[in-house]
Amino acid sequence: MSATRVPVHIITGFLGSGKTTLIHSLIEQKPVDEKWAILVNEFGQIGIDQAMFKQRDDVVVKGLPGGCLCCQLAFVLQAALVNLLARNKPDRVIIEPSGLGHPAGLLDLLRGEAFQDVVAVHDIIATLDPRRLDEPRVREHETFQDQLAMADAIAITMGEQASAEQHEHAQRFVTELWPPRKWVHRSEHGTMPLSLLLNSAQTRAQQEDTAVPDTHRQMMATPTLEGTFFDTAPAPGQPQHKTASALGYTSTGLRWHPSERFDLDRLAAHLSEFPASARVKGVFHTEQGWKQLNRADGTLSLGNSAWRQDSRLEVITPDNDADTHTNLVTELQSSGALLS
């Protein structure tokens, strides 16, 4: 990663989930030697959120009202960000998309040709109000699901307003998301440690000790792939591979750079060769877009995916199928034939 690229952090989340409050708490912890820029997008036509930030010399706030910058306002965002970087020269940028905005388009734009040598997109943080999980209309909303699905990390907000049962439900909900989140933080009074924003290379192993309740951790009997394996995407053409074993099962993880695209038909055919006992989960950047593949009991299902951080595969098999498991994973790791 170039040292000259400006770090960009996306803080997303559904309407009323505490995004702006969380950003306020981060600003109050800002290093004195850094200048920040905050881009706030609102779905309404009048920029109210921008007015909620105090004026100060070391924080520049730019509002983009009137729609979703992840979709129809992408060209407006591009122009605004180029202007902001050139004129204000911030050390760090935080972008708050609309609560009704799908952030995948925003991420694709920031990783595109216009910005690839200018900004470095860090972990995407999604805010989650536990009370929303009690509302079927919200829980089943595609944008609500996708905001959480593409996040690297989750801040559970409204700590003083949600009940203990609602917080416990939220913890279970986010722990069961796949791919796993790097960290889950319960925010009290809208605060979050600045270190979670700045130190995006914290290992999952360190953070799961505080993020996952002991009772739930004891329930996770399958092998886990911890450590720094999930911190940064591998280089193009250099897929990462890690294996762990426990309780008579072997788990193998593979990851590819998000720019590499797979041929979906050939990929599905290859995954179908795993033994029926194998549990296979994957998200892949394909020539037909980002797809999630899930294989259980020998049946492969396919769906769209909001995930954008990397292509990844996890295969869990009983140890008596280890040889077949190893051979198929090795073929997939040298997957030039599967790339489109």
Side-chain angles (χ1 to χ4, degrees):
M1 179 180 294
S2 170
T4 61
R5 292 199 286 168
V6 179
V8 173
H9 308 269
I10 300 173
I11 298 182
T12 185
F14 209 65
L15 291 170
S17 60
K19 298 186 296 297
T20 302
T21 302
L22 203 69
I23 293 173
H24 276 293
S25 83
L26 294 170
I27 291 175
E28 293 305 312
Q29 304 170 66
K30 185 188 71 64
V32 294
D33 59 344
E34 284 195 4
K35 184 177 184 178
W36 287 10
I38 315 293
L39 275 176
V40 183
N41 175 224
E42 296 183 68
F43 196 77
Q45 299 297 315
I46 301 175
I48 300 298
D49 281 349
Q50 181 182 2
M52 296 177 65
F53 290 91
K54 297 178 183 178
Q55 282 193 323
R56 45 192 290 180
D57 294 337
D58 57 350
V59 178
V60 179
V61 181
K62 172 70 175 176
L64 295 174
C68 169
L69 59 78
C70 315
C71 311
Q72 66 265 34
L73 286 187
F75 67 96
V76 177
L77 167 70
Q78 181 168 333
L81 187 54
V82 167
N83 182 270
L84 193 66
L85 293 171
R87 176 175 297 182
N88 300 104
K89 296 180 171 53
D91 299 296
R92 192 173 304 276
V93 177
I94 296 177
I95 300 178
E96 178 190 342
S98 161
L100 290 174
H102 192 306
L106 168 60
L107 183 58
D108 291 341
L109 173 67
L110 293 173
R111 285 183 171 168
E113 185 176 347
F115 292 111
Q116 63 182 359
D117 297 323
V118 180
V119 304
V121 182
H122 286 219
D123 292 345
I124 298 172
I125 300 171
T127 54
L128 171 63
D129 179 349
R131 299 172 299 176
R132 293 290 195 170
L133 294 175
D134 295 336
E135 305 175 40
R137 178 182 60 85
V138 173
R139 191 175 63 246
E140 297 167 8
H141 198 289
E142 182 180 1
T143 299
F144 174 81
Q145 295 174 357
D146 285 349
Q147 287 168 345
L148 295 172
M150 74 175 298
D152 296 284
I154 295 176
I156 300 178
T157 55
M158 307 301 173
E160 65 282 0
Q161 299 181 38
S163 68
E165 291 77 13
Q166 288 170 323
H167 272 290
E168 184 178 347
H169 181 201
Q171 282 279 8
R172 289 197 306 270
F173 178 84
V174 298
T175 303
E176 291 166 2
L177 292 174
W178 194 89
R181 309 303 99 160
K182 288 184 179 179
W183 53 261
V184 179
H185 173 74
R186 176 170 168 173
S187 171
E188 298 291 342
H189 304 287
T191 63
M192 186 182 85
L194 182 63
S195 60
L196 291 179
L197 185 79
L198 303 184
N199 301 334
S200 58
Q202 266 189 299
T203 67
R204 287 182 58 235
Q206 290 172 326
Q207 297 180 47
E208 283 176 348
D209 285 341
T210 58
V212 183
D214 287 341
T215 53
H216 188 76
R217 192 185 295 111
Q218 291 167 2
M219 294 169 59
M220 298 189 294
T222 53
T224 58
L225 303 172
E226 298 181 345
T228 59
F229 185 63
F230 296 105
D231 286 342
T232 57
Q238 300 178 32
Q240 288 182 328
H241 172 230
K242 189 169 183 178
T243 298
S245 297
L247 304 176
Y249 285 82
T250 296
S251 174
T252 296
L254 285 171
R255 298 172 68 232
W256 294 263
H257 190 274
S259 66
E260 297 184 278
R261 299 194 183 197
F262 287 78
D263 182 287
L264 184 57
D265 290 337
R266 283 183 286 175
L267 176 64
H270 186 85
L271 296 182
S272 297
E273 295 177 9
F274 279 91
S277 60
R279 180 74 171 89
V280 180
K281 295 184 292 184
V283 281
F284 291 91
H285 191 189
T286 77
E287 86 287 359
Q288 298 181 36
W290 285 85
K291 300 294 182 181
Q292 178 164 332
L293 294 90
N294 195 339
R295 184 169 180 267
D297 299 323
T299 301
L300 184 67
S301 60
L302 174 69
N304 294 326
S305 176
W307 185 256
R308 294 291 191 278
Q309 310 315 310
D310 51 24
S311 290
R312 63 171 64 185
L313 174 73
E314 184 177 271
V315 181
I316 300 173
T317 53
D319 285 345
N320 58 2
D321 282 326
D323 290 342
T324 303
H325 171 129
T326 301
N327 292 337
L328 289 169
V329 166
T330 300
E331 291 176 20
L332 189 57
Q333 189 173 6
S334 56
S335 57
L338 297 180
L339 295 175
S340 61

